[in-house]
Amino acid sequence: MMPVSPFKLSGVLWVLAWRNLWRNYRRTLIMLTAIAVGVWAMIFLTAMMRGMVDDMVRGSTSTLLGHVQLHHPQYRDDPNIVNSMPPPSTSLQQALNSESVVAWTTRVRVPAVISSERETTGITLVGIDPESERPLSFIAHKITEGRYLESPNDRGVILGKRLVDKLETRLGKRVVLMSQDPDNNVVDRGFRVVGIYRSDPSMIEEQFAFVGRTTAQGFLHMGEQISEVEVLGSDYRQAKSLAVPLRQTANNETVPIEVLSWTEIDRYLGSMLPMMDGFVLVWIIVVFTALSFGLVNTLAMAVFERVREIGLMQALGMKPQAIMLQVLFESIFLLVIGLVIGNLSAWLTILPLQSGIDISVVAQGLEMGGMSSMLYPSLQIEDMILATVVVLLLGMGASLLPAWRAARLDPIKALTKH
Amino acid sequence: MSAVTCQGLVKRFQQGDQTIYGLDHVDLSVAEGGFLCLSGPSGSGKTTLLNAIGGLDKPDQGSITIAGCCIDALSKGQLADMRLSNIGFVFQAYNLIPVLSARENVEFVMQVQGLSASERRQAADDILREVGLQGLEDRRPAQLSGGQQQRVAVARAIVSKPALVLADEPTANLDSHTAEQLMNLFVELNVKHKVTFIIATHDTRVMEYAKRLIRMVDGKIVEDEIR
C-alpha cells in the first residue's frame, strides 16, 4: 500500500481546514473582519489617492498640455516666436489622423503683455483653432460670460475672470496685446473682450488669453508658422506609446521637430504616476504586514489548541508536509474570504462616490497642487489585483511559521499534551 | 515470522539529576497473530514500549523490527508511512478528530493511504457495522458516548487490516459492559483476521483475554507468561 503525496490529500485537508476554521468562530470572524477592513482600507484609500492624481493629470493635460506635443526643438527652452515651426506636412497629418489619436490641433503660443485702460500684466497669448481645440482643452467648456471664438479668424479675445478683474476691464471692452514679431519688432493690437472663462484651478484664469490662430499669426507676422501641435490620445497613461509613431514620422520631416509626451514636458507631474504606484505598493505592504501579526497569532492559537489532534494525525500516518498544508489551507481560507469581502465592500463603497466628493472645504489648499474641488475616486482593477496578490503572498509567508511549527510537533509530546 | 522484534531497547528520561529508565534493555519478540498484554504499575514502561514499537518515540539504544523491516534509521516521514501501512493505534483517550464524523474518522486513514472514495465508504460502513455503530456513521465524536467513540477509534485502527494493533489502556474510560464488548471485538479480529494485538493495560479483565501476558517493572520485563 503506497501512501499518497500530501498534495493528493488536499481533499481531506481542505475539509479539515474549513471545519477547523469554524471551531472558534468568534476568533475567525474577528480575523476575517480585520483582513476585510484592511483590504477595504487599502483599496478605498488607494482609489482616493488615484482619484487625486487622475484629477491633477487630467486638469493639467486639459490645460493646454495634452498627451503629446510637437514643437520646434528650441521652443521649450525659449518659447519665443522665432522658435516656431511650419504647420504639419501631409505625412505628419496622416500620422496625426491615425486611430490612436483622438484629436489634435495647432496653436500659436507666445509670451505677451496685455493692457487695459487701468492695468498692464504679462500673460501667455494663445492662438487657437476653435473647432479643433474644443476636444483638447478646457477653454471651449468654461466660458461663463460672452461667447467662445467662432473661427481662427475671430478678432475677439477671451480672458480669464481673474485677469479681467485684475485689469479692471469687462466683457465688450477693448484691451491691447503686445508681443514681438519674428524680427524682434514690438507689435501690438487692440482686441475686444468677447468671452470670459472660469477655470479650475482658478490661477489659470490670470495666465492665458485666447485669440483666433489666424488672427494671432497675422498680428505677429508669422505667416503660416505655429508654436505647437497638441495631440490627445485615449488614455493619459499611454502617452509615451502614442508619441512613438509621431516621433518616427517627425524624424523624417525636413525641419527639426521635437515630439514629447506630457510626462516628458511636465516631469514633476509625470513623476507622480510611478511615485503613486510605488506609494500604493508600500501602503498595501505596510497595512498587511500589520495585519499579518494578527493572522500569525490566530493560526498559532489554532495550532496550539489542536496539538493533540496534530499528534494523532501524525500517529495515524499523516506526514509533516500534510500537517503543514492543512494549516496553510486554513490561512488561505481566511485570506480569500477576507479578500472577497474587502474587495467587494471597497467596490460598493466607491460605487456611489463616482459622481465625486465635494472637498471644497479644503479646495483652496488643494488648488495649489493643481487639484480641483471635486474628488473622483478612481477604482482600478490593477490596484485590486495588486492588493490581492500582496495579501495572499504576505499572508502565506506569515502563515509558514505556525504551519512549520505544527509540522515539527513531536507526536508523543503532542498526544500527551493536556 | 515475528510481527515485532525488539532487541536491547533502552529509553532514558532525565528528571533533575536523576536518570530514569523507561525501558531497560528490553528484548521482546511477538509472533504474527499474537495477542499480548503488557501489564505493570504506572511508570513501568508499558506505554514507552508501545510508543517505541509504533515508531512514535525513538529508543536511546536497541533495535526494533516490524514485519521484517528495521525501523531504527527511518526518518519521520518514513516512520509515518510505516505506521500507515502496518500499524493501527487505539489510545486511552479516544483521540478522534472532532470535526470529522464517525465515518470520516474511519475513512481518514484510508484517505491518507490513497484509497478511492467508494472503497473507503464501503470499508468504513462495513467496519462500523461490525463494531455495532450502524446508523451512527454521520455523528461527530461529541454526539457519541465514550464507548461509541472508543469503538470508532477501534474501527479506524483496524479498517485497513494492519498487521499490528497497538492499544494503550483501551478500556480505561469504558464501563465494564462496553469494555467486554470491545475485548470480544479484539479477540474476534485476532482470530478472524490474524491481527496481532499488543495491549498495554492495568485492567485485569483485559489481561484475562491475553494469550501472552508480560509484566513490566521499572522498564524491565519481569514476567513473560504464555497461556
Side-chain angles (χ1 to χ4, degrees):
Chain A
M1 194 178 304
M2 281 302 292
V4 293
S5 87
F7 292 99
K8 286 189 180 167
L9 266 179
S10 56
V12 69
L13 296 180
W14 282 117
V15 171
L16 282 168
W18 177 252
R19 292 186 188 170
N20 280 325
L21 206 59
W22 300 105
R23 284 167 81 169
N24 191 330
Y25 68 91
R26 276 198 194 91
R27 187 173 61 208
T28 299
L29 286 177
I30 288 169
M31 194 60 226
L32 278 178
T33 308
I35 294 173
V37 169
V39 171
W40 172 85
M42 288 175 206
I43 296 171
F44 183 79
L45 290 178
T46 300
M48 300 289 271
M49 289 186 286
R50 290 270 189 220
M52 280 186 192
V53 172
D54 272 4
D55 186 51
M56 282 172 71
V57 174
R58 290 213 175 92
S60 296
T61 53
S62 70
T63 310
L64 310 181
L65 178 59
H67 294 171
V68 174
Q69 287 188 4
L70 286 71
H71 305 108
H72 183 282
Q74 305 301 319
Y75 177 79
R76 287 179 66 230
D77 288 338
D78 179 11
N80 192 294
I81 197 161
V82 291
N83 292 325
S84 57
M85 59 187 264
S89 65
T90 313
S91 58
L92 196 52
Q93 282 187 37
Q94 276 177 349
L96 288 166
N97 289 328
S98 69
E99 275 186 11
S100 55
V101 174
V102 171
W104 63 276
T105 192
T106 56
R107 291 190 193 119
V108 168
R109 179 145 70 158
V110 291
V113 171
I114 189 167
S115 300
S116 67
E117 293 156 333
R118 297 175 189 277
E119 289 290 334
T120 298
T121 187
I123 49 128
T124 299
L125 173 65
V126 187
I128 58 171
D129 177 340
E131 275 318 300
S132 60
E133 185 71 33
R134 196 177 284 274
L136 279 145
S137 70
F138 69 96
I139 184 63
H141 320 286
K142 297 287 185 179
I143 305 293
T144 53
E145 287 180 64
R147 62 171 176 84
Y148 183 48
L149 297 174
E150 288 166 348
S151 74
N153 298 308
D154 198 310
R155 301 179 76 84
V157 64
I158 298 174
L159 303 179
K161 178 73 171 78
R162 279 173 61 164
L163 184 60
V164 167
D165 292 344
K166 190 174 177 181
L167 294 171
E168 296 183 42
T169 186
R170 64 177 193 275
L171 194 69
K173 297 279 280 184
R174 284 179 72 85
V175 290
V176 175
L177 283 162
M178 192 168 21
S179 190
Q180 280 186 327
D181 70 7
D183 299 324
N184 291 326
N185 298 315
V186 173
V187 288
D188 57 31
R189 181 166 170 178
F191 288 82
R192 193 168 299 280
V193 180
V194 295
I196 296 173
Y197 69 88
R198 300 299 300 256
S199 73
D200 199 2
S202 60
M203 55 189 163
I204 299 291
E205 294 168 15
E206 284 188 58
Q207 206 176 338
F208 297 106
F210 295 89
V211 298
R213 190 198 62 222
T214 310
T215 306
Q217 284 168 328
F219 153 56
L220 296 166
H221 308 146
M222 291 174 75
E224 292 286 301
Q225 294 287 99
I226 55 169
S227 303
E228 66 187 18
V229 178
E230 187 188 301
V231 183
L232 187 73
S234 53
D235 183 355
Y236 71 77
R237 292 177 189 83
Q238 307 300 325
K240 278 189 178 170
S241 56
L242 180 68
V244 173
L246 296 173
R247 192 170 291 133
Q248 283 168 351
T249 311
N251 286 342
N252 297 325
E253 295 290 301
T254 50
V255 290
I257 298 174
E258 185 180 49
V259 180
L260 297 171
S261 67
W262 68 269
T263 53
E264 293 161 311
I265 297 166
D266 190 337
R267 289 193 178 276
Y268 169 74
L269 192 63
S271 68
M272 292 294 283
L273 291 185
M275 195 173 78
M276 187 66 200
D277 289 341
F279 181 77
V280 165
L281 183 64
V282 170
W283 156 244
I284 288 173
I285 289 174
V286 166
V287 170
F288 195 75
T289 303
L291 268 179
S292 62
F293 286 100
L295 180 67
V296 170
N297 182 54
T298 299
L299 291 173
M301 283 304 294
V303 168
F304 179 77
E305 286 168 3
R306 298 206 307 272
V307 163
R308 284 189 69 169
E309 276 167 56
I310 292 167
L312 172 70
M313 288 178 197
Q314 289 180 324
L316 294 177
M318 190 177 251
K319 289 188 173 180
Q321 299 97 303
I323 304 281
M324 195 163 172
L325 269 184
Q326 191 192 322
V327 178
L328 289 179
F329 285 175
E330 281 177 51
S331 169
I332 290 174
F333 273 130
L334 276 171
L335 292 168
V336 169
I337 297 171
L339 276 165
V340 168
I341 298 171
N343 275 295
L344 202 63
S345 42
W347 180 68
L348 288 172
T349 320
I350 292 166
L351 202 62
L353 300 176
Q354 290 297 303
S355 52
I357 306 164
D358 187 356
I359 51 167
S360 51
V361 177
V362 289
Q364 286 284 319
L366 288 171
E367 271 191 9
M368 300 298 286
M371 283 173 267
S372 68
S373 56
M374 288 296 279
L375 176 60
Y376 300 92
S378 170
L379 182 63
Q380 289 180 20
I381 192 76
E382 293 87 352
D383 290 334
M384 294 174 94
I385 292 170
L386 179 71
T388 301
V389 170
V390 169
V391 166
L392 278 176
L393 285 179
L394 282 182
M396 293 305 292
S399 310
L400 280 174
L401 179 66
W404 179 73
R405 291 184 70 171
R408 277 177 54 89
L409 280 173
D410 181 65
I412 284 296
K413 285 183 186 158
L415 278 166
T416 52
K417 187 172 173 63
H418 295 287
Chain B
M1 186 177 166
S2 290
V4 179
T5 307
C6 305
Q7 287 180 322
L9 292 189
V10 175
K11 180 74 184 175
R12 300 180 198 91
F13 299 104
Q14 206 64 36
Q15 209 169 57
D17 296 339
Q18 218 180 352
T19 301
I20 294 165
Y21 280 84
L23 297 173
D24 191 356
H25 298 90
V26 170
D27 294 310
L28 174 69
S29 180
V30 183
E32 275 181 9
F35 198 105
L36 181 148
C37 274
L38 298 170
S39 70
S42 293
S44 60
K46 308 184 294 290
T47 300
T48 308
L49 181 57
L50 277 190
N51 289 340
I53 292 171
L56 295 174
D57 204 1
K58 284 216 180 237
D60 298 322
Q61 251 178 265
S63 174
I64 300 170
T65 303
I66 306 287
C69 168
C70 179
I71 67 166
D72 303 341
L74 296 185
S75 67
K76 228 174 164 179
Q78 288 169 323
L79 283 171
D81 286 344
M82 185 276 295
R83 286 194 292 272
L84 188 64
S85 308
N86 298 304
I87 303 176
F89 281 97
V90 181
F91 300 98
Q92 179 179 349
Y94 322 117
N95 278 312
L96 298 176
I97 300 167
V99 292
L100 299 181
S101 68
R103 181 189 287 118
E104 288 168 333
N105 262 287
V106 175
E107 281 189 35
F108 181 79
V109 173
M110 292 184 283
Q111 211 153 1
V112 181
Q113 287 171 337
L115 268 67
S116 71
S118 58
E119 284 178 297
R120 291 199 308 261
R121 173 117 190 177
Q122 184 64 51
D125 285 351
D126 287 348
I127 201 77
L128 284 170
R129 194 181 314 113
E130 209 169 320
V131 298
L133 292 175
Q134 196 172 16
L136 304 177
E137 296 91 340
D138 295 321
R139 291 199 187 175
R140 295 231 179 142
Q143 298 167 306
L144 297 170
S145 69
Q148 287 167 335
Q149 286 185 47
Q150 192 63 310
R151 277 190 270 170
V152 175
V154 170
R156 183 183 61 197
I158 61 178
V159 69
S160 54
K161 308 280 187 294
L164 174 65
V165 171
L166 301 175
D168 190 6
E169 305 282 6
T171 58
N173 293 313
L174 302 181
D175 60 65
S176 55
H177 176 66
T178 313
E180 192 184 334
Q181 277 185 324
L182 181 70
M183 289 315 296
N184 286 333
L185 179 65
F186 280 6
V187 170
E188 191 187 329
L189 289 166
N190 177 247
V191 173
K192 212 161 119 184
H193 299 294
K194 300 287 175 215
V195 177
T196 306
F197 278 84
I198 302 179
I199 303 167
T201 186
H202 280 108
D203 192 338
T204 50
R205 294 166 305 176
V206 173
M207 293 176 207
E208 285 169 16
Y209 291 86
K211 292 178 192 169
R212 184 178 170 190
L213 181 63
I214 287 178
R215 191 172 146 71
M216 295 183 75
V217 175
D218 294 337
K220 288 181 185 157
I221 293 176
V222 293
E223 201 179 319
D224 189 349
E225 178 192 347
I226 296 173
R227 295 166 168 184

